[in-house]
Amino acid sequence: MQIFHTITSLQNFLKSQRLLGHSVGFVPTMGALHQGHLSLIETSKSQNDLTVCSIFVNPTQFNNPHDLAVYPRTLEADCEMLESVGCDVVFAPSAEEMYPTLPNLKFDFGDLERVMEGQFRPGHFNGVGIVVSKLFNIVQPDAAYFGQKDLQQCAVINRLVKDLSFSLKLNICPTLREKDGLAMSSRNRNLSPEQRLNAPAIYKALQGASGILKSGESSEKAKSFVSKQLSAVDGIELEYFEISNFDTLQPIDEYLEGKTALCIAAFMGKTRLIDNVII
Ligand code: PAF
């Protein structure tokens, strides 16, 4: 596995690979890798000649300085995990390498970012749009892989790829869960043992709400169920629960079979977790 810290060295290497006719799959990450990331790498490996994983904690997408400060940084362990699944290339640039000057560029994803993460984390998707565009330009992958856990991010990146005509295939891969249902996330390692014990309540609430909607009951009932369920669990503070149209991510009042996304964001202490199911 090759590790590059500069854009030029990575690009020189990738140029030589493309001359050999090798296709490139790309998994952008912020490190603190878990099995969910590794499954994206494995999918990319099964579909491409070469897989590149970027590890960069992108400062422009954090609206909360505390969240950026405590975001886990575990490059050495990440590289070991990547090596164990046969990742070919790691790109781990410094902030100075990625942002010699901070871009003034502003992305506005319209209605897509007026809800949920965009509403509660102002500027977040601008930062995601900037860094993902830069990474796509640097790596020029044939295919890129993202996890469904970040559903709204997937929708924003899908839009970005279309609007800026990136010539790549976007792949959205299923959320991986721990045995108790908790969605895998780099942030899980910031949970205390007690918080970790209680965190699966988030997925349980999503499952409960999906049962309510599928049995024909109202969205109000599903919402009040989620709010009651989570307020009964020690240390969970619900930020939002949305019932949304899966395509547009706009709130809906009734269940559309196969097209309904249930999305949650909740705090456990200072750790913010998100999760979703499509029903
Ligand atoms: O999902 C993430 O880890 C990040 O938002 C991404 C896509 C790597 C951009 O920094």
Side-chain angles (χ1 to χ4, degrees):
M1 188 173 78
Q2 308 234 34
I3 304 177
F4 297 98
H5 297 286
T6 65
I7 296 171
T8 315
S9 58
L10 173 73
Q11 285 185 322
N12 286 339
F13 175 76
L14 290 178
K15 226 179 265 166
S16 69
Q17 294 299 304
R18 272 196 211 92
L19 285 176
L20 297 172
H22 289 171
S23 62
V24 176
F26 180 41
V27 181
T29 80
M30 297 206 297
L33 302 182
H34 49 68
Q35 202 52 46
H37 294 114
L38 298 189
S39 78
L40 299 179
I41 301 284
E42 277 160 354
T43 307
S44 167
K45 275 184 68 68
S46 70
Q47 297 176 0
N48 301 279
D49 298 316
L50 195 80
T51 291
V52 178
C53 175
S54 64
I55 298 181
F56 178 61
V57 182
N58 172 37
T60 65
Q61 72 187 74
F62 285 82
N63 60 316
N64 175 346
H66 175 266
D67 199 18
L68 174 61
V70 302
Y71 201 87
R73 288 158 173 87
T74 55
L75 183 59
E76 213 174 300
D78 291 344
C79 288
E80 279 169 21
M81 288 172 84
L82 289 171
E83 184 125 51
S84 76
V85 291
C87 180
D88 302 288
V89 175
V90 176
F91 177 49
S94 65
E96 294 71 34
E97 179 72 6
M98 285 299 280
Y99 297 116
T101 52
L102 274 179
N104 285 322
L105 198 66
K106 291 272 176 288
F107 282 97
D108 182 341
F109 293 97
D111 287 348
L112 259 189
E113 68 160 271
R114 306 273 180 269
V115 292
M116 301 192 285
E117 294 304 281
Q119 186 185 349
F120 285 91
R121 301 181 68 189
H124 170 64
F125 286 122
N126 179 51
V128 170
I130 288 172
V131 80
V132 171
S133 305
K134 283 173 79 86
L135 289 167
F136 282 172
N137 279 324
I138 293 166
V139 177
Q140 300 193 5
D142 298 286
Y145 300 81
F146 293 85
Q148 189 205 297
K149 184 179 79 69
D150 297 304
L151 184 68
Q152 195 171 5
Q153 169 170 281
C154 293
V156 159
I157 293 172
N158 186 29
R159 195 62 210 260
L160 184 77
V161 166
K162 287 194 176 129
D163 287 356
L164 296 184
S165 308
F166 281 111
S167 144
L168 56 86
K169 182 172 183 313
L170 192 61
N171 297 278
I172 311 302
C173 305
T175 303
L176 253 67
R177 299 187 177 280
E178 304 290 352
K179 283 204 181 85
D180 58 12
L182 177 65
M184 289 189 187
S185 161
S186 305
R187 290 183 165 87
N188 292 351
R189 61 179 86 192
N190 288 341
L191 298 173
S192 70
E194 195 193 343
Q195 289 169 337
R196 173 62 190 83
L197 213 62
N198 290 337
I202 294 174
Y203 181 52
K204 285 203 185 90
L206 285 173
Q207 286 178 305
S210 91
I212 290 172
L213 290 171
K214 281 179 179 169
S215 71
E217 301 210 60
S218 69
S219 54
E220 281 71 35
K221 184 133 192 201
K223 283 184 179 173
S224 97
F225 168 83
V226 168
S227 138
K228 269 194 208 129
Q229 281 289 110
L230 293 185
S231 60
V233 180
D234 258 3
I236 296 194
E237 201 183 309
L238 180 64
E239 187 167 53
Y240 65 73
F241 167 62
E242 285 293 353
I243 303 173
S244 310
N245 177 308
F246 167 67
D247 289 324
T248 64
L249 293 189
Q250 300 311 295
I252 48 176
D253 283 332
E254 58 186 34
Y255 169 52
L256 305 170
E257 196 179 335
K259 277 191 161 289
T260 303
L262 307 184
C263 306
I264 278 188
F267 278 95
M268 301 206 72
K270 287 192 163 175
T271 306
R272 186 173 182 278
L273 300 177
I274 58 173
D275 199 355
N276 65 78
V277 293
I278 315 289
I279 56 168

